[in-house]
Amino acid sequence: MKILFIASLAINPITFSDIFNTLRSSSLTDEGVKCTKRLDKLEVSYKSLGNITDNKCVIKNAVVIKNFPNTKLSSPITVSCSMAEKLEDYFSSINADTVDHLGSYNCRTISNSRVISEHSYGEALDISGINGKSVQKNWNDKDKPFKTAVEKACSIFSNVLTPDTDRAHYNHIHIDNGISFGSLNCFHM
């Protein structure tokens, strides 16, 4: 039996991404009705989808949100209920009347890796604009229109990636509830 296991490892070696993906998906929580009751109390208009499983992608307690009470979204998003709660808190705290985004749920890996993206768990959102200001066009404006938004995101979400992080984020702010490795995952301006 041991020889068979070792032989299978030689043929299919276990990688960091295999271990990480397994641990990450097993760490997702589902508060079910408790979470959706909190959304009701926050007056978030949502449609509950239950748990979604698509290959290796899983959203626990998925919800579709068209808009938040005080924030109009450019299009509906599908996220976990816990992510929806954090987004409502975040948008309220930065007085976001409108939010343009590039998407939320998307079953895929992180670019150039085998690690499953937080978008695959409904735990991420890519914001391209807030209150009429475009991340791509206005990121380097003298009045730093996104400074407060990024600082607040760093206090609410596990990971925040911006145009200052890398070229892949040249046109958006990525926020997620993934596994955090401390302040290294929050890139300030």
Side-chain angles (χ1 to χ4, degrees):
M1 189 66 144
K2 286 182 184 179
I3 294 172
L4 217 104
F5 177 72
I6 292 169
S8 72
L9 284 179
I11 296 168
N12 297 310
I14 296 173
T15 64
F16 165 78
S17 58
D18 295 329
I19 295 167
F20 184 86
N21 292 339
T22 300
L23 291 174
R24 179 62 185 122
S25 63
S26 65
S27 73
L28 298 171
T29 59
D30 176 6
E31 293 186 61
V33 175
K34 288 181 185 177
C35 184
T36 54
K37 282 186 178 183
R38 290 193 300 268
L39 288 183
D40 290 338
K41 191 173 182 179
L42 292 168
E43 298 181 0
V44 174
S45 178
Y46 66 91
K47 178 183 177 188
S48 181
L49 301 177
N51 293 338
I52 295 176
T53 303
D54 177 16
N55 197 6
K56 291 184 178 183
C57 303
V58 176
I59 304 179
K60 298 280 181 115
N61 204 8
V63 294
V64 174
I65 298 175
K66 289 184 180 178
N67 293 301
F68 288 91
N70 298 307
T71 306
K72 183 176 187 226
L73 299 174
S74 56
S75 62
I77 58 173
T78 300
V79 293
S80 70
C81 184
S82 60
M83 181 65 168
E85 280 186 285
K86 285 190 173 190
L87 287 169
E88 167 54 22
D89 179 33
Y90 174 60
F91 294 149
S92 293
S93 71
I94 62 169
N95 298 313
D97 297 322
T98 61
V99 170
D100 296 317
H101 66 87
L102 303 176
S104 54
Y105 174 68
N106 183 358
C107 187
R108 64 177 177 81
T109 59
I110 294 172
S111 184
N112 300 315
S113 101
R114 291 179 50 202
V115 174
I116 296 173
S117 166
E118 289 301 315
H119 288 281
S120 302
Y121 304 118
E123 295 288 342
L125 181 67
D126 290 336
I127 298 171
S128 59
I130 300 171
N131 293 339
K133 293 278 189 170
S134 161
V135 172
Q136 184 174 358
K137 293 177 185 172
N138 304 111
W139 182 256
N140 290 314
D141 286 2
K142 288 181 184 179
D143 64 342
K144 301 274 188 201
F146 297 101
K147 183 176 176 30
T148 302
V150 169
E151 287 174 353
K152 192 63 178 177
C154 290
S155 72
I156 294 173
F157 300 98
S158 303
N159 301 297
V160 179
L161 306 171
T162 72
D164 291 342
T165 306
D166 58 28
R167 286 187 290 200
H169 297 90
Y170 75 96
N171 64 346
H172 66 279
I173 300 166
H174 167 95
I175 54 178
D176 76 50
N177 278 332
I179 295 172
S180 178
F181 299 99
S183 62
L184 295 175
N185 287 345
C186 193
F187 296 88
H188 291 277
M189 295 181 267

